[in-house]
Amino acid sequence: MMSCEEFTDEVGEYIEGTLPFGERIQMWLHAFLCDHCKTYLQQMRDVADLMGELGERWREHPEEEAPEELKGDLLDSYREKVDGESTE
Amino acid sequence: MSDDAHIIERLKAGDEKAFEALIDRHYAAMIRLAETFVSDESSAEELVQETWRVVIDKLDTFEGRSKLKTWIFGILANLARQRRRSDQREKPWSTIMEEPIEESAGHMTERFDAEGRWQAPPRALQLDPEDEAMKTQFLEHVQAAMDELPARQRAAVMLRDVQGLSSEETCEILDVSKANQRVLLHRGRAKIRETLEDAAVVPGEVRS
């Protein structure tokens, strides 16, 4: 059986679903038999979920807004570009 | 995708409201991504600004083969790499693209015995998904831990987990192999996990 250390090294690949079938089975079996590694696996999934949640919150309330001046400049460029195309 | 198609249509038609909304939606994430390529705030802002100029310029060539967000992030990363190549000897673009990632994965080696068994097993995180206040506290730790990651790990974690992009999209934006991307992502997540473990555990309790 693989060691716990090997399990933690492979856990990223396991979560990504990129391990070959045989190794995937070994990982599954290890996690089934080893509570510590099962906890570790779950925590790594929790971390990914929490970061997803952080992303959700940032989408609802962005951390920072574009400075008004930049927005104004970009809008000007955008307008120019659109106008330029419509008169071509 | 259909959302994107709708936005693109409005953008190509010259809808300024749609363009402003696009800036608002992506600005903060772009700054975060830019900060993984450049070392200081003003360079990051400059890079984002430059990215928007390219976006405006190339908008009519966007074909919707990727997500709009992915396309914009890709432009930003390409610009960063171009700038780095041309400014290699100047200081503000001191970047981290060559950061070695081949160090052993075992930043946790001390937690295992010689046979690879847990010596210091993972401690419970006490994360109750129903408890909003606790979750907010966890998210603060997650964010702080992410901010501490080496740039490339931070970029991988941000694109994959925070932005929800696929591994293919992430590889393309960061210009790394799939294996490389997985290593970066795994290391980043592992470090964040460790920070959470250190910051938020209640010793001796078992996770439900």
Side-chain angles (χ1 to χ4, degrees), chain B residues 21-197:
Chain B
L22 187 72
I23 299 177
D24 287 337
R25 183 163 338 124
H26 298 301
Y27 185 79
M30 288 165 75
I31 289 284
R32 277 203 163 264
L33 180 61
E35 283 168 348
T36 69
F37 290 102
V38 300
S39 51
D40 64 287
E41 207 178 311
S42 68
S43 306
E45 282 168 11
E46 206 177 293
L47 179 55
V48 169
Q49 192 171 336
E50 207 185 327
T51 303
W52 279 113
R53 302 217 176 277
V54 176
V55 167
I56 292 170
D57 204 45
K58 296 203 167 156
L59 203 53
D60 49 343
T61 66
F62 178 75
E63 289 175 342
R65 286 209 197 99
S66 60
K67 282 185 219 133
L68 187 54
K69 176 164 85 175
T70 308
W71 183 66
I72 294 173
F73 290 170
I75 290 174
L76 189 153
N78 276 331
L79 281 175
R81 282 187 287 269
Q82 278 168 26
R83 283 292 283 267
R84 199 185 65 78
R85 277 194 294 271
S86 58
D87 295 5
Q88 211 147 28
R89 283 175 198 86
E90 291 172 36
K91 39 183 172 20
W93 296 85
S94 69
T95 111
I96 44 296
M97 289 318 284
E98 296 94 23
E99 171 191 293
I101 65 154
E102 283 73 29
E103 102 246 21
S104 105
H107 63 282
M108 294 211 310
T109 32
E110 72 282 0
R111 298 186 66 161
F112 298 96
D113 66 17
E115 273 78 52
R117 282 183 302 249
W118 286 101
Q119 216 160 24
R123 286 161 291 172
L125 295 184
Q126 298 301 313
L127 179 59
D128 176 359
E130 302 301 314
D131 186 335
E132 276 303 310
M134 183 191 278
K135 192 174 264 178
T136 299
Q137 203 190 356
F138 257 86
L139 290 178
E140 276 165 21
H141 286 302
V142 168
Q143 183 174 342
M146 197 172 77
D147 289 343
E148 293 297 312
L149 292 178
R152 281 161 51 100
Q153 293 177 18
R154 196 164 78 238
V157 157
M158 211 143 56
L159 293 173
R160 286 295 310 277
D161 289 337
V162 179
Q163 294 296 331
L165 301 186
S166 69
S167 84
E168 288 77 13
E169 290 171 313
T170 303
C171 289
E172 203 175 310
I173 292 169
L174 298 182
D175 196 25
V176 294
S177 70
K178 282 189 171 184
N180 211 322
Q181 185 257 169
R182 287 197 295 268
V183 171
L184 291 171
L185 180 67
H186 175 61
R187 298 232 174 107
R189 283 176 180 167
K191 281 185 194 152
I192 293 172
R193 191 207 69 84
E194 239 171 322
T195 307
L196 289 182
E197 186 183 45

Side-chain angles (χ1 to χ4, degrees), chain B residues 2-18:
Chain B
S2 63
D3 249 17
D4 266 6
H6 180 64
I7 293 168
I8 281 296
E9 204 173 302
R10 288 172 60 192
L11 289 173
K12 287 184 178 172
D15 184 335
E16 291 179 18
K17 281 267 181 307

